[in-house]
Amino acid sequence: MEHVPPPAEELALLDRELARLDARRAQLLTRRAWLVRVLGAAAAPPAAGPAPWGPPPGRGPVAAWGPAPAGPAAGGFGPPQASAPGAQNVLLVLGGLLLTVAALAFTLVSWGDMGIGGRSAVLTAVTAGALLAPVVLLRRGLSSTAEALAALATVLMVLDAYALYEVAVPDADGAGYTATAAAVLAVLWGAYGLLVERLRLPLPLAVCAAQLPLVLWAWAADGGPLWCAAALLVTAALDGAVALRAGRVPARVTACVALCVTGGSGLLVALVESLSAAGPAGAVVPGALLLAGAALAVAGARRAPAPFGVAGGVVAGLASVAAVGGVLAAGLPDGWPVLGYLLCGGALLGVRAPLGAPVVRGLGWASGAVVAGAVLASLPPVTVVAAGPVSRLGGVWAGVPRDGARGAVGAVDLPWAEMGYAPVVLLLVAVALGAAYRWWEGLLGRAGAAWRGAAGPAWRGAAGSVAVASGWSGLLVLPVVLGLSFAADLAVRLVLVIAAFAAAVTALRAGARGVAATAGVLGAAGALGAGVLSLATEAGTYTVFGLLLVVCAGLTVALDGRAGVSPVLVSAAACAAVVCAGVPMGALGASLGWTVSEAAVPLLAVPAVTVLLGARLKRHAVALPVELTGAAVAAVAAAMAVGDARFLALVLALCGVLAAGTALRAERRPFAGYLATGLFVLAAWVRLSVAGVSAPEAYTLPVTVPALVVGMLRRQRDPAASSWAAYGAGLAVTLVPSLGAAWTDAQWTRPLLLGLAALGITLVGARLRLQALLVLGGAVLALDALHELAPYVVQVAGALPRWVVPALAGVLLLAVGATYEKRLRDARRLREALGRMR
């Protein structure tokens, strides 16, 4: 075999390729070492020496990149090293802490061992050295070391001030001396920070120290809370000037934080003094401080960025309301100051000064906050009045409550004279927001650019909803506050219900869904309260529920078929109308002096009407809810008749007639037909029990035998027919009453015969795979056996220790849990087997 190229030539090619790879690797390693050195030099430049070693000029590739470094680090296989800046900062922090501890120990322990000259010399030398050293270090590029020594210098200056106090003026007032020292230190640190511009610590420290002098001077002079508040506000003004004009970010951030703390504290102290003022004259000075704070907030907000401008506008608005409203509130009786603050809050919206869009928007937010606070303060009386009718449930038809409307809600002892502000506040808010909702576009046009882009349709809808809720609440509580009669209160509630539902329909026509939903909820709540309150008198019950019936029916007609209205709302209104019709019909028997069982018969007129309405409406979306509500009323009638078996049989039979009438409709036949059959059978059983029949089999077997024969004939003609349709009713006619008789029979004959019959039916059902026979026979057999074994079980349970039952239950649970998956599969197989049966 011949080599192409020849072996010698190929070997030379391989050698040259390997040489090139070695050269490339050395080049990359050299470049990596140089980059690592450059990065280290940039993070911590050396104090002296030549510039960082860079690539010298050269012609070849290796010479251009510099010599390869020796050692394992060059290849990247050495252990990871700590970064130079991180290690340097740790060392500097530790060094600064040690020096600070040493300075403290010297000042507190060794100070007394030196004379006055030595003390002065040491302090002067150490402090001057600590202040001058950062300047030298910054020139050499050691910024971190300079910062550490500057921090030490600030600590030494504080210690100098303390030492001066102990030696020179030990008898001076502590607060006054601290204020003076803080002022001097603030000036010195500020000047030092401005002179040494590269240091970041002195200026923020100067801002922090400047927060103390004015407040401590006011405290030392026993100026009282108002002087302290004034000092805090002046300090906040200085902080605002620094925050706006300082050129360095650390100082500006520190000034902003200090501004929030001092300004907020000053305004809070002034607000407390305004609220606790004894009269209008006493609230003037705190109000002036609040106005001054508002002016400072506006002055700073106009020059600040937009978010800070809005925040400043909010603070200015709230402070102005607290200032003017505090003077008004000091002259008003208890409770009524809320109205004063509300008026001042509303006046903020009328400000037209050229303050800038962010400030105006902040004033608007402040006005909204004041209005919301006034509404929340007015809600306790509304809650009492709205929930008060519940207290009348225990006294149905007990007569007109004493003390009129206040007695009706069970709140006679409350200070309603002081709560008189609530309806006034709520109605004023309702009028204002209603006007805003009505003339929204015009108001936005007058507001200018501050609100034109921020207040969209959602805000208009919210204003309308709050207006409706506030107006409804104010009118609801008004009769109770005025102490009107019970009839007047009930009339006002009914008017509010009608107005709320009318507003809901009108809002739906206008496309205001939020307003419509709010009005609808308020109308429903008002209807419930008026209905419960009307139960106090007989005439009130018929009047109120009759009127509510008309209102709910009219609401159903108004909402039906309207675009955008959910069928659920229409169905809810229709069901409410059925309920309102059922209450007076149920009360009719009581008015006639009938018993509860007798009063159940006229109540069935309501489900009879719903059956007719269902036949008229047919497949309308409202038909089924109305019929179900009528069925619920029929169930109430049956429950009322339980006390008298004669009327219970009558009510069940009448309900069966109604169900049979419903079954005439094809869409209701599957369910209503079975229900009618069951009701008729149940009515017959109840009637037999009234007649004193002790052997129901004599009446049920003659029905069961032909029913089973008819079922067999049907199965022969239609093999696919269900066993329930063929045999279910016939078997239930005898098995169920016999089971009931067996449970009350003390003899053994009937239970034995019933058990044998049930066992035979169960076996036949299992053999022929007929579901009805298997289920009915098995259920009756199990219940019959339970009845027979119950006395023995009770005896055994009484003889066993009490711990046996829980222990057995625990063992059973453990066994079921351990074989849970198998039991689940068995249950599924049983269900599938039953499902395959006819």
Side-chain angles (χ1 to χ4, degrees):
M1 177 178 180
E2 296 182 358
H3 290 276
V4 180
E9 185 176 352
E10 184 179 1
L11 180 61
L13 291 174
L14 291 177
D15 290 338
R16 285 196 296 271
E17 186 65 21
L18 290 174
R20 280 196 295 269
L21 290 176
D22 290 337
R24 181 59 177 167
R25 184 175 183 276
Q27 178 185 2
L28 294 175
L29 291 176
T30 304
R31 182 62 177 174
R32 179 185 180 279
W34 180 77
L35 290 174
V36 170
R37 186 171 300 184
V38 168
L39 292 175
W53 188 68
R59 296 163 64 181
V62 176
W65 293 96
F77 300 103
Q81 305 293 330
S83 62
Q88 181 188 29
N89 291 334
V90 171
L91 293 176
L92 291 175
V93 171
L94 290 176
L97 288 177
L98 291 176
L99 289 176
T100 302
V101 171
L104 289 173
F106 168 76
T107 304
L108 298 176
V109 179
S110 301
W111 182 259
D113 297 336
M114 302 179 64
I116 185 65
R119 299 170 186 174
S120 303
V122 169
L123 285 175
T124 302
V126 174
T127 305
L131 291 173
L132 293 175
V135 179
V136 179
L137 292 173
L138 288 174
R139 291 178 181 176
R140 296 180 175 272
L142 300 176
S143 57
S144 299
T145 308
E147 291 287 353
L149 289 179
L152 176 63
T154 57
V155 176
L156 290 175
M157 294 176 73
V158 175
L159 294 176
D160 290 343
Y162 171 73
L164 182 62
Y165 173 75
E166 289 291 335
V167 174
V169 286
D171 298 330
D173 179 66
Y177 180 82
T178 304
T180 304
V184 173
L185 289 176
V187 173
L188 293 177
W189 287 340
Y192 185 67
L194 293 176
L195 291 175
V196 187
E197 296 182 354
R198 294 178 60 184
L199 291 177
R200 293 173 294 179
L201 186 62
L203 287 181
L205 288 178
V207 174
C208 293
Q211 310 306 308
L212 301 177
L214 294 179
V215 179
L216 293 179
W217 276 329
W219 184 13
D222 296 330
L226 293 178
W227 282 101
C228 290
L232 287 170
L233 292 177
V234 173
T235 305
L238 297 176
D239 293 332
V242 173
L244 291 174
R245 298 185 178 277
R248 303 183 189 179
V249 175
R252 298 179 67 180
V253 172
T254 306
C256 287
V257 175
L259 168 64
C260 296
V261 174
T262 55
S265 302
L267 292 176
L268 183 60
V269 172
L271 176 62
V272 171
E273 292 297 317
S274 176
L275 294 175
S276 60
V284 171
V285 177
L289 290 177
L290 290 169
L291 288 177
L296 292 175
V298 170
R302 294 182 62 185
R303 297 173 177 82
F308 295 97
V310 174
V314 172
V315 173
L318 294 177
S320 302
V321 171
V324 181
V327 177
L328 296 177
L332 295 175
D334 292 338
W336 289 91
V338 177
L339 180 60
Y341 287 111
L342 175 65
L343 295 176
C344 294
L348 285 179
L349 296 176
V351 176
R352 290 292 180 267
L355 303 177
V359 178
V360 173
R361 194 176 300 126
L363 293 177
W365 284 111
S367 176
V370 173
V371 172
V375 171
L376 290 177
S378 305
L379 288 183
V382 178
T383 305
V384 172
V385 174
V390 179
S391 62
R392 306 301 307 172
L393 290 176
V396 178
W397 290 8
V400 177
R402 298 178 57 186
D403 300 311
R406 296 177 182 177
V409 297
V412 179
D413 299 330
L414 293 180
W416 290 106
E418 299 177 3
M419 295 182 179
Y421 71 91
V424 178
V425 169
L426 292 172
L427 292 176
L428 282 177
V429 172
V431 171
L433 292 179
Y437 178 79
R438 174 65 178 82
W439 294 288
W440 186 261
E441 298 299 333
L443 291 176
L444 287 183
R446 294 183 59 188
W451 291 101
R452 189 173 296 121
W459 286 101
R460 183 185 182 185
S465 299
V466 175
V468 171
S470 182
W472 183 86
S473 303
L475 293 175
L476 179 68
V477 78
L478 187 60
V480 182
V481 171
L482 297 178
L484 300 182
S485 63
F486 170 73
D489 185 22
L490 196 56
V492 169
R493 289 175 181 267
L494 290 175
V495 171
L496 287 177
V497 170
I498 298 173
F501 285 141
V505 174
T506 304
L508 282 177
R509 291 176 179 174
R513 292 183 171 272
V515 178
T518 303
V521 171
L522 293 175
L528 181 61
V532 174
L533 198 62
S534 68
L535 297 177
T537 62
E538 182 178 359
T541 301
Y542 288 109
T543 303
V544 170
F545 279 97
L547 182 60
L548 290 178
L549 171 61
V550 175
V551 171
C552 292
L555 182 63
T556 304
V557 175
L559 295 178
D560 186 26
R562 186 168 298 280
V565 178
S566 173
V568 177
L569 297 178
V570 184
S571 301
C575 294
V578 175
V579 174
C580 292
V583 173
M585 293 304 298
L588 182 60
S591 300
L592 298 176
W594 296 351
T595 63
V596 177
S597 299
E598 294 172 342
V601 177
L603 183 58
L604 293 177
V606 175
V609 174
T610 59
V611 169
L612 296 177
L613 284 176
R616 176 69 176 84
L617 296 173
K618 295 182 180 180
R619 296 188 180 276
H620 195 281
V622 180
L624 181 59
V626 167
E627 293 180 74
L628 291 178
T629 308
V633 174
V636 173
M640 292 173 60
V642 167
D644 192 331
R646 299 172 303 166
F647 284 95
L648 178 59
L650 176 60
V651 170
L652 290 175
L654 293 176
C655 290
V657 172
L658 295 177
T662 304
L664 295 176
R665 298 159 51 196
E667 67 273 11
R668 302 284 187 262
R669 186 170 301 153
F671 177 78
Y674 289 113
L675 180 61
T677 303
L679 289 172
F680 282 134
V681 173
L682 186 59
W685 293 341
V686 173
R687 189 60 189 170
L688 290 175
S689 67
V690 172
V693 174
S694 59
E697 294 83 2
Y699 298 89
T700 58
L701 284 176
V703 177
T704 296
V705 173
L708 293 178
V709 172
V710 171
M712 292 176 61
L713 295 176
R714 180 179 179 183
R715 287 274 296 176
Q716 290 177 357
R717 295 182 179 180
D718 183 12
S722 171
S723 61
W724 288 100
Y727 307 115
L731 291 174
V733 167
T734 296
L735 291 178
V736 176
S738 297
L739 180 63
W743 271 67
T744 58
D745 193 349
Q747 302 298 323
W748 58 273
T749 307
R750 177 180 279 111
L752 177 60
L753 295 176
L754 178 62
L756 292 175
L759 177 61
I761 293 172
T762 304
L763 295 176
V764 172
R767 177 67 180 83
L768 300 179
R769 303 182 61 81
L770 298 177
Q771 189 181 96
L773 277 67
L774 181 62
V775 173
L776 285 175
V780 172
L781 179 60
L783 293 175
D784 185 62
L786 178 63
H787 172 263
E788 293 303 309
L789 295 176
Y792 304 101
V793 174
V794 172
Q795 292 178 5
V796 172
L800 291 176
R802 294 185 177 181
W803 57 268
V804 174
V805 176
L808 292 177
V811 171
L812 178 63
L813 291 177
L814 288 175
V816 173
T819 60
Y820 175 76
E821 294 295 335
K822 187 174 185 302
R823 300 285 81 80
L824 191 61
R825 289 193 297 269
D826 293 342
R828 288 173 179 170
R829 284 197 294 267
L830 178 60
R831 184 186 63 184
E832 293 172 357
L834 287 175
R836 289 193 294 268
M837 292 182 179
R838 290 292 182 183

